[in-house]
Each structure stands twice: as structure tokens, then as C-alpha cells.
Amino acid sequence: MAGVPCMLMRGGTSKGAYFLASDLPVDRERRDDLLLRIMGSGDPRQIDGIGGATPLTSKVAVVSPGTEPGADVDYLFLQLGVEERTVTDRQNCGNLLAGVGPFAVERGLVPAGKPVRIRMVNSGSVATARFPTEGAAISGVPGTAPGVVLDFEDTEGPRGVLPTGNTVDTIGGVRVTCVDNGMPVVVAWAEDLGITGYETVEELAENAELTNRIQEMRLGAAELMGLDDTTSVPKTTLIAPPRDGGTVCTRTFIPLAPHTAIGVLGAVSVATALMIEGTTGHVLTGRKARVDVEHPTGHLQVEVELDETGRVRRSGVLRTARKLFDGKVFPR
Ligand code: NQM
């Protein structure tokens, strides 16, 4: 059986398989089936594939030449299930995004040394990637690696940054803010769900009652937010006062597994919620903020800027990315 050209990359705190769209079947069903076999999904260990047995390492980036003015390349993100044989394009991934520019250079889609404008096909928004910047260290990844600065435009969700139309909704007796600045997220105070918000990932994963409450809450939120496919969104972020010099402390669920850090656009969305008056967790004043988001393995700093009307002007983040392996992958 012929292998499929594939580059394995770490992008931020995630890891994924990067493909040129032209190396994958055009038919969506055949493409998804191939990717599931490549990852080894449908098995909690993904032992017969290259997935790492967690949602953060069961990710795919499909890259192709830009099809719209103003974009050098198109990037479609696919989240594959681990135990379940699912593939969804209903979310973005700002972590894998960090690898898209370097991958596009390696595959000859764009010249080296210039910023790359990347259209995120999942949402239609555009990010500009500048790289390599100096070697940088990011929380959740050992050592340093070439930096990638990502600038986002037009990340507001299809129903705006507050998709339910409210700054606060009450779901199952808990006050939440549903926000979407690149990632649909339900934000609530950890305390309101009976935890401190400083628990370890292991403690959170073992808390079956919490998992049930989060599931109930996010399904309720999905309805209010108009999300029909809840395979991977909305995410939930439980917040608590900072305790390490940051702006806010977070524990995020993707959608039920506790995240070892926090997603990029997830963090941008949470930071945006903190800036909007009246939301649960509104702690920031002003229209431009550098938000230091504490998470289980460190900090993620994001910048968010709103215009006078409260609409999102831009947001940005620093990540690192690294090629791990380039070759052919052989699906089962
Ligand atoms: O929010 C995990 C990750 C992500 C997504 C998730 C991400 C983002 O850490 O932009 O990066 O939320 O499923 O890769």
C-alpha cells in the first residue's frame, strides 16, 4: 500500500499531522476514513496509528494554496476523536496554526522569510504568521524552539462575540458567559461548580460529577449559541482569581477532557469575555489588553483589542512550532 506524504509537527502545545490537500482524497468521506486510519482512532491508545491518545495529539492540518484574495494559504483544521471514530471541522486550532506557515514554506507553497497570510477555512478568519522569530519558550513545552507570532483578524463567531445575545446566561443554576472570538467557549466561575479552579488535570479528570455538570452546561449553552454539532464545541473554561501573577486562572475542558494548558483561540475568547462589561468574569477595563492567562502548566499571554463599539479589532499570540518528522504515513 502506498504511503501518504505527511509531516508531523508540534504546533504550540498540540501535535498534529500536516498534509497538503492535494495528497488527500477530495471526497470528504474517503478523506475522513483515511485520516482516522492514519491516527488509529477508534481505540483509546491509538496504538495502530500516529495519534498520541489524547485530543491534543489527534489533530490534522490540511493546507493548500490560498483560494481567496489576501490569503497565501488555506488551512483546514480537523479534530479527530481518540476512542470515537469522529472527524469534525467545527472548531479552529490556533496551536496547530503555528505550524502552518513553516509547513507551507517547506512544501514550497510560499517563499521563506516573509509573513504568511493564512485563511482558517473552518471560520473564514485570517491570521498572519511571522516566523521564525527568536527562539522562545512557551509554557507546557520543554526548552525553546523557533517562535511564531500569530495575529488574528475577524475571529468573531458567526453570531458575534456573544452568540447568545446576552452577556450572562443562567444554565443549570450557574451564571455563564458564552463567548466566541475564534472558539465557542462557556465561561463560568469554578467556585460556582463546587471546585476551586486550582485543581490538577488529574483531579479534574477523576471528578465524574464535575464532568456531568460540564456536559449538561455546555449542551445547554450549545443550544443558546446555535451550535448544532457538539462533538468538540463549545469548550468550557472555569475561572478563578489568579494566583501566579496573571490576570485570571483557568481550567479548560475540550470538550470534557481537561486541557493540560488552554487552546490559543480558546484563551483569546476567554480574554475577550473578561473585557466585556457585564460578563461573568469581567475583570478588565479598557479596549486593549494583554491578558496573562494562567493554566495548569503555566501561562499563555494573549493580546486583544476591541474598537469603540466593542467589536474585536485584532488579537495576537506568540507560539512556537517544530517539525518532528517528514515522510510517508501508512494507514492501517
Ligand atoms: O483554541 C484545543 C489546542 C486546542 C485548540 C481545543 C486551540 C485553540 O490546544 O485555538 O489551539 O480547544 O480543543 O490545540
Side-chain angles (χ1 to χ4, degrees), residues 95-180:
N95 270 309
L96 278 210
L97 172 68
V100 170
F103 174 76
V105 171
E106 290 252 0
R107 290 288 190 258
L109 297 185
V110 291
K114 288 195 174 158
V116 181
R117 305 243 323 147
I118 302 164
R119 187 169 74 94
M120 296 189 279
V121 176
N122 305 71
S123 58
S125 50
V126 173
T128 303
R130 291 182 178 80
F131 60 91
T133 63
E134 290 186 353
I138 58 169
S139 295
V141 180
T144 59
V148 182
V149 174
L150 299 170
D151 257 289
F152 298 105
E153 301 156 33
D154 292 329
T155 41
E156 282 188 17
R159 290 193 176 192
V161 83
L162 296 171
T164 70
N166 303 319
T167 46
V168 170
D169 294 282
T170 302
I171 304 176
V174 179
R175 281 165 56 81
V176 305
T177 289
C178 300
V179 64
D180 185 355

Side-chain angles (χ1 to χ4, degrees), residues 171 178 186 217-228 230 233-234:
I171 304 176
C178 300
V186 186
M217 204 166 80
R218 77 174 200 95
L219 292 181
E223 220 172 299
L224 299 176
M225 296 166 97
L227 301 169
D228 49 355
T230 56
V233 288

Side-chain angles (χ1 to χ4, degrees), residues 11 13-15 55-56 59 77 79 91-96 152 182-183 232 235 252-255 259 261-267:
T13 45
S14 285
K15 184 152 64 181
L56 295 178
K59 295 180 171 239
F77 170 70
Q79 177 68 58
Q91 75 164 89
N92 265 322
C93 180
N95 270 309
L96 278 210
F152 298 105
M183 182 69 72
S232 76
K235 317 286 181 189
T252 299
F253 300 82
I254 53 166
H259 200 309
I262 185 170
V264 170
L265 288 155

